[in-house]
Amino acid sequence: MSQRARIIHGTAVSPGLAVGPVHVARTQAQRVTTWSVREEDVAREVERLGQAIQTAIDEMVRRQRLVAAQASEKDAEIFAVHRMVLQDPGALKQVESVIRDQRVNAEAGVQALIQRLQASLGKLEGDSVRAYAADIADPWRVVLDTLLAVERAEFLSSESRIVLAASELTPEAVTYLERGRLLAVIAETGGRFSHAAVLARAFGIPCVVGLPGLIGRLERGMPIAVDGDHGTVQLAPSPADVRAFELRAESRAARQESLRVQANLPAESTDGRRLGVLVNLESLRDLDMFRADHTDGLGLVRTEFLYMERPQFPSEDEQFRLYRRVVERMTGLPVTLRTLDIGGDKQLSYFKTPRETNPALGWRGIRISLEWQDLLRVQLRAALRAGTGHDLRLLLPMVASVEDVTLAKSILEGVRQALAEQGYDQVSEVPLGMMIEVPSVLFTLPEMLKHVDFVSVGTNDLVQYLLAVDRDNPWVAKLYEPQHPAVMTALELVARTCRQAGKPSSVCGDLASDPALAVLLFGMGFDSVSVAPNFVPGIKYAVRKIAHAEAREMALEAVAAQDCAGVKRVVARCRERIA
Ligand code: PEP
Ligand code: MG
């Protein structure tokens, strides 16, 4: 393969450069990942297969004894049959030849056998014959489970740092390993604004997607150079390539560092106007990733991610402690807690929302909170208690109508009263804001602003609803275009309407994390942006380089653009201006 062919171009999802050995992950339970193995590693795969078969046989013996003791010898006989299935030399030969001939992992070999058994099962006639054939595949499933479990356990207990390759960018892929071990994530498919992408950026993990056929070209352990700035992936770079890549990474890190040392300065334009730069928080661990006094506070605490880090709903007291840690860490700066925003692809393992044909248009965000009001009440109680003596603000996700806000407000009022009657300390004032994510809000904004104290635009969702493009659907990922004239028009409308009403406006969607776009938002009249911690220094630097009047001129040009290309030209100019 030529050197050129080994550089694949995809879509940049999360910036940064990383080089390291690749590990192909199985991040979807229903899929068995296939990866190529080097000639010299084939024997190791055959050995893994043999060990897994032996473990499965031992498991059959254990099950046979158990059933014989608890039921009867006759009932337990099936496991003796299963053992014989696994000892059939013909089946073993078939799996081994897949491993050797195709040079693939043991899991893929076993999966091929299971598929063959299932296919032959379809051709059989009669229920009892079919049931027998199904039994033949079953013991091999135990072998497959064993291989997968052993491989994952071994991998988790090692300390290797890897580039993770997955067929799809999912939240599981981004959280597959602790962050220090995950050098980068690359995936065949995935959306740039999916929740998984948001997580990758928040965690500072370089990420590239849109790489069809990637997995088939990887050999386990092969070095990979990932350029999350430009969206390229280099397979098996030469030592000279690796060195050149490392040099680029070092100079990039030096640039980042020079921005970081100026991060204490405010984002004040050359003509003296300020943009608030706040932080989006996904996890308590992120509290240690930035200096609170280099920011203007937390503009978005995605509380659902705090809920995801535990095995069941946190109690009121547990939530109180979580939120208290957050407000205390921010020492008097604003902390904007968003009420639980689950549903769609943000699922809690212990609270399954129903399967929906259209989850993005379904039961999610405030819709769940207003129906399961006790969940909301517990969260509000904990938040109000934790906010005592601090600048706590509450933010409602996925608001679509005035009624959503008025109902939430009446619940909040009830909770405040109950806390007071029960003698709890609580925050003295709590501004209530709403997210602008649903387009209906754009057309009713002056009325809605009478009911809230501030707004924050969630562009990740607003773009998906404005353009009718599912942010999590890889098939339409190319159509998800934040730099669209309709998006610019909507944003400017929000900023202008809020100014007229005297209500602060912010953008907390990922669009704001691009310094050039943050400058345009500043020009439109937004008071603040809220972004993952690692984007704060770059945005502050960009705002300090420009006059508000110039930012405004460019913003209005972006709004007046005829098409996406027109918006992109303005953004490119802005990028050059702040470079
Ligand atoms: C958004 O939609 O832009 C947003 C900030 O919320 P989330 O990404 O958590 O849906
Ligand atoms: Mg959202």
Side-chain angles (χ1 to χ4, degrees), residues 170-226:
T170 57
E172 291 71 34
V174 181
T175 51
Y176 196 75
L177 283 179
E178 69 264 32
R179 275 183 240 171
R181 288 186 55 200
L182 213 47
L183 295 169
V185 175
I186 52 179
E188 293 187 333
T189 60
R192 213 150 54 88
F193 291 87
S194 64
H195 285 109
V198 169
L199 279 181
R201 283 189 289 273
F203 294 171
I205 300 172
C207 178
V208 177
V209 303
L211 304 162
L214 169 77
I215 304 288
R217 300 176 65 178
L218 300 178
E219 277 180 358
R220 173 161 283 204
M222 167 195 269
I224 305 270
V226 181

Side-chain angles (χ1 to χ4, degrees), residues 223-466:
I224 305 270
V226 181
D227 181 340
D229 296 340
H230 299 98
T232 61
V233 166
Q234 186 173 8
L235 310 184
S238 67
D241 286 341
V242 171
R243 187 67 205 125
F245 193 83
E246 283 170 349
L247 283 175
R248 268 181 60 209
E250 280 163 24
S251 81
R252 186 184 190 281
R255 273 200 313 278
Q256 295 286 105
E257 188 49 34
S258 76
L259 289 181
R260 244 193 303 274
V261 294
Q262 302 172 43
N264 58 329
L265 301 173
E268 187 170 304
S269 60
T270 54
D271 50 357
R273 190 151 150 179
R274 267 184 84 155
L275 176 74
V277 184
L278 295 90
V279 162
N280 291 349
L281 194 79
E282 326 288 337
S283 142
L284 286 183
R285 281 188 298 276
D286 293 353
L287 283 173
D288 304 321
M289 279 176 58
F290 64 96
R291 282 187 56 163
D293 59 344
H294 288 187
T295 75
D296 295 303
L298 295 179
L300 171 67
V301 180
R302 287 183 161 103
T303 57
E304 57 279 1
F305 287 113
L306 306 184
Y307 281 48
M308 278 177 198
E309 290 173 3
R310 34 198 65 232
Q312 60 198 32
F313 271 118
S315 67
E316 179 182 326
D317 281 342
E318 280 172 305
Q319 289 186 56
F320 166 79
R321 285 193 291 275
L322 285 176
Y323 303 151
R324 191 77 196 160
R325 263 183 71 190
V326 176
V327 291
E328 281 177 349
R329 171 71 169 70
M330 296 308 292
T331 52
L333 289 166
V335 171
T336 315
L337 280 193
R338 179 171 73 181
T339 59
L340 197 59
D341 185 25
I342 47 171
D345 78 327
K346 281 192 279 189
Q347 296 285 347
L348 302 175
S349 56
Y350 47 86
F351 181 73
K352 284 270 174 265
T353 52
R355 246 184 106 74
E356 297 171 286
T357 316
N358 248 328
L361 303 184
W363 205 45
R364 54 168 299 196
I366 197 168
R367 298 169 182 181
I368 295 181
S369 297
L370 294 181
E371 211 163 305
W372 286 56
Q373 293 185 5
D374 281 345
L375 274 185
L376 178 62
R377 284 198 187 90
V378 170
Q379 183 170 35
L380 292 176
R381 283 176 66 91
L384 293 171
R385 286 173 51 203
T388 309
H390 291 271
D391 184 352
L392 179 80
R393 299 151 191 214
L394 294 171
L395 182 60
L396 305 172
M398 287 296 295
V399 167
S401 62
V402 167
E403 285 79 2
D404 288 339
V405 178
T406 49
L407 180 52
K409 267 179 111 162
S410 71
I411 295 170
L412 176 62
E413 221 22 72
V415 168
R416 274 175 98 60
Q417 259 179 28
L419 284 175
E421 280 162 19
Q422 292 158 7
Y424 282 102
D425 285 337
Q426 59 175 306
V427 62
S428 53
E429 266 178 52
V430 61
L432 181 67
M434 67 171 182
M435 301 272 298
I436 298 187
E437 295 167 297
V438 182
S440 60
V441 172
L442 298 173
F443 304 102
T444 49
L445 196 51
E447 184 54 35
M448 302 209 65
L449 287 175
K450 294 179 187 160
H451 301 272
V452 293
D453 302 302
F454 65 96
V455 306
S456 189
V457 187
T459 46
N460 304 339
D461 276 314
L462 184 63
V463 171
Q464 91 163 332
Y465 296 130
L466 273 181

Side-chain angles (χ1 to χ4, degrees), residues 481 483-485 488 520 554-574:
E481 181 50 84
Q483 294 179 46
H484 189 293
M488 297 298 126
L520 296 187
M554 287 192 283
L556 294 183
E557 256 184 73
V559 173
Q562 307 285 308
D563 48 23
C564 300
V567 177
K568 285 179 184 172
R569 276 195 295 275
V570 181
V571 174
R573 222 174 62 231
C574 184

